[in-house]
Amino acid sequence: MSLLRIRKPKTRKGKKVLLAREPQLIEGPRNMLFLDGRKCGGDVKLCMKDLQQLKKPLIKSLNRNNDITPFDDPSSLEFLTQKNDCAMFAFGSTSKKRPNNLVLGRIFENEILDMVELGIKRYQAMTEFKTEKIGTCVKPCLVFNGPKWSQAEELRRLKNLLIDTFQKDKVEAIRLQGIEHVMSFTCTDEMNILMRSYKILLKKSGQKTPRIELVEIGPSADFSIRRTKIASEDLYKQSRKQPKELKVSKKKNITRDELGNTHGRVHLGKQNIGKIQTRRVKGLKKSAEEKKSDRQKKKELLKAAAQELLTNNE
């Protein structure tokens, strides 16, 4: 049962807000809620501050400390995400048992879909890198290094969660100069996640394609996977289900070539071309000279045929 009471909107603005919260045919980018636990400081605080910088403007941050344990009782966390209209969350806390703890998760139908608890082993903030930074609202390129990302189910879900975390507006086309930021995630044999962030520099190469250089701009972090809560296959499949209106139905006898041109094949029955009434066009009419030459040819043919008949009778 939801903790928020369902009320009918009394104003035009309230109705507009409730309609925006309802499921949409084409969902927009997801907001992320950042909140602190009972104690939150040190590397966790710096990490969440840098994540907010990378995620802007799709963020909502709560400044107060919250007595929440996501893996034991997630009801308060679900209430806050629903109240702030956020589909994702980042929860930072530190304790003697689990120091420098960061929890990333997603919400589906006002309930937690999946979440992963990461321990920060080493962290370098963006301010420690004395290099030129990227602008805000820049969509990063994500690179996942190592074969382990596709071997374990937990790592596959974590990869999908990281893609959702840094996902922004959907773009139809990009240009080379628009690719400025790349984030690299490496999974080691000890099941540690190494996160690195680079700025892409395009240098002259003397050719059409430029030479690319990477400059590390931060943040740089080494994470260890602690606890995970993964949704069941049925619930995960339901969360990824697309409406029928968005599914592209395959059309018969239509193909596309390498240049993107559409070719169609039309099947027709047997046609009697002699009975088809065509349009008379002036440009197709014969001229006076052509008609005269045709009459002359007919006369010559008739004379030749008559001459043959006379010779045969003799």
Side-chain angles (χ1 to χ4, degrees):
M1 184 178 177
S2 176
L3 297 175
L4 291 174
R5 288 183 295 176
I6 301 174
R7 293 182 178 181
K8 291 184 178 181
K10 297 181 180 180
T11 60
R12 182 179 174 183
K13 186 178 179 181
K15 185 178 180 180
K16 191 176 180 180
V17 171
L18 289 180
L19 286 174
R21 290 187 178 183
E22 290 181 356
Q24 306 293 327
L25 188 64
I26 300 176
E27 295 287 346
R30 302 177 182 180
N31 293 331
M32 193 169 193
L33 180 67
F34 289 85
L35 63 164
D36 302 337
R38 299 171 201 164
K39 293 182 180 180
C40 183
D43 291 342
V44 182
K45 199 74 176 178
L46 291 173
C47 181
M48 294 186 67
K49 186 178 179 182
D50 289 342
L51 287 177
Q52 291 179 38
Q53 188 68 24
L54 295 173
K55 185 69 177 172
K56 280 183 179 180
L58 305 172
I59 62 167
K60 288 189 178 180
S61 179
L62 303 182
N63 297 323
R64 294 183 179 180
N65 291 356
N66 301 275
D67 189 6
I68 298 174
T69 52
F71 284 88
D72 298 332
D73 185 17
S75 57
S76 301
L77 189 58
E78 293 169 352
F79 169 77
L80 290 173
T81 53
Q82 184 182 359
K83 184 179 179 181
N84 291 278
D85 193 21
C86 294
M88 306 187 71
F89 66 88
F91 179 81
S93 64
T94 183
S95 63
K96 187 177 180 181
K97 187 177 180 181
R98 293 185 178 88
N100 298 329
N101 207 42
L102 179 66
V103 180
L104 300 176
R106 292 180 287 191
I107 303 294
F108 175 66
E109 290 186 352
N110 300 325
E111 293 182 357
I112 289 180
L113 177 67
D114 49 14
M115 56 183 172
V116 179
E117 188 179 62
L118 302 173
I120 302 175
K121 287 185 166 185
R122 185 195 63 82
Y123 190 77
Q124 276 185 281
M126 295 176 70
T127 53
E128 297 182 29
F129 293 87
K130 305 302 179 183
T131 55
E132 187 180 354
K133 302 296 188 290
I134 58 171
T136 56
C137 305
V138 176
K139 192 173 183 180
C141 301
L142 303 181
V143 180
F144 294 90
N145 304 310
K148 290 187 175 294
W149 289 108
S150 58
Q151 291 177 357
E153 184 63 27
E154 289 184 354
L155 289 175
R156 278 198 291 267
R157 296 289 179 89
L158 176 58
K159 177 182 176 181
N160 190 264
L161 177 59
L162 291 173
I163 292 173
D164 272 359
T165 301
F166 297 100
Q167 177 73 17
K168 292 187 179 180
D169 295 330
K170 187 178 179 181
V171 293
E172 299 295 335
I174 57 174
R175 64 189 183 99
L176 195 60
Q177 287 76 14
I179 305 174
E180 303 178 25
H181 186 207
V182 60
M183 297 194 68
S184 171
F185 298 92
T186 305
C187 183
T188 62
D189 295 333
E190 293 80 15
M191 299 297 287
N192 293 329
I193 309 299
L194 311 180
M195 184 184 74
R196 303 291 184 266
S197 177
Y198 303 95
K199 182 180 180 180
I200 300 174
L201 300 178
L202 303 177
K203 301 290 185 178
K204 292 183 179 180
S205 63
Q207 299 177 358
K208 189 176 181 180
T209 56
R211 179 171 55 87
I212 295 174
E213 290 185 3
L214 298 180
V215 178
E216 191 169 2
I217 59 173
S220 174
D222 295 348
F223 298 111
S224 62
I225 302 175
R226 289 177 177 169
R227 291 184 291 178
T228 58
K229 182 182 178 182
I230 295 176
S232 62
E233 284 292 335
D234 295 336
L235 184 60
Y236 185 64
K237 187 177 180 181
Q238 185 182 354
S239 66
R240 296 177 61 194
K241 189 177 180 180
Q242 291 186 351
K244 293 181 179 179
E245 292 82 0
L246 294 180
K247 291 183 179 179
V248 180
S249 58
K250 188 177 179 181
K251 297 182 180 179
K252 294 183 178 180
N253 303 321
I254 293 179
T255 56
R256 286 183 175 272
D257 58 10
E258 296 177 354
L259 300 176
N261 300 321
T262 305
H263 299 277
R265 181 182 294 179
V266 180
H267 296 276
L268 297 174
K270 189 177 180 181
Q271 296 183 352
N272 190 356
I273 301 175
K275 293 184 179 180
I276 294 178
Q277 183 179 359
T278 57
R279 186 179 178 184
R280 296 180 180 180
V281 185
K282 290 183 179 180
L284 299 177
K285 288 183 177 181
K286 292 182 179 181
S287 62
E289 295 179 357
E290 289 177 347
K291 290 180 179 179
K292 189 175 180 180
S293 62
D294 289 343
R295 286 196 296 270
Q296 192 69 25
K297 287 178 182 179
K298 286 182 181 179
K299 288 180 181 180
E300 292 177 357
L301 290 173
L302 289 172
K303 284 182 180 180
Q307 191 69 28
E308 285 182 3
L309 287 173
L310 290 173
T311 52
N312 291 332
N313 291 333
E314 292 176 355

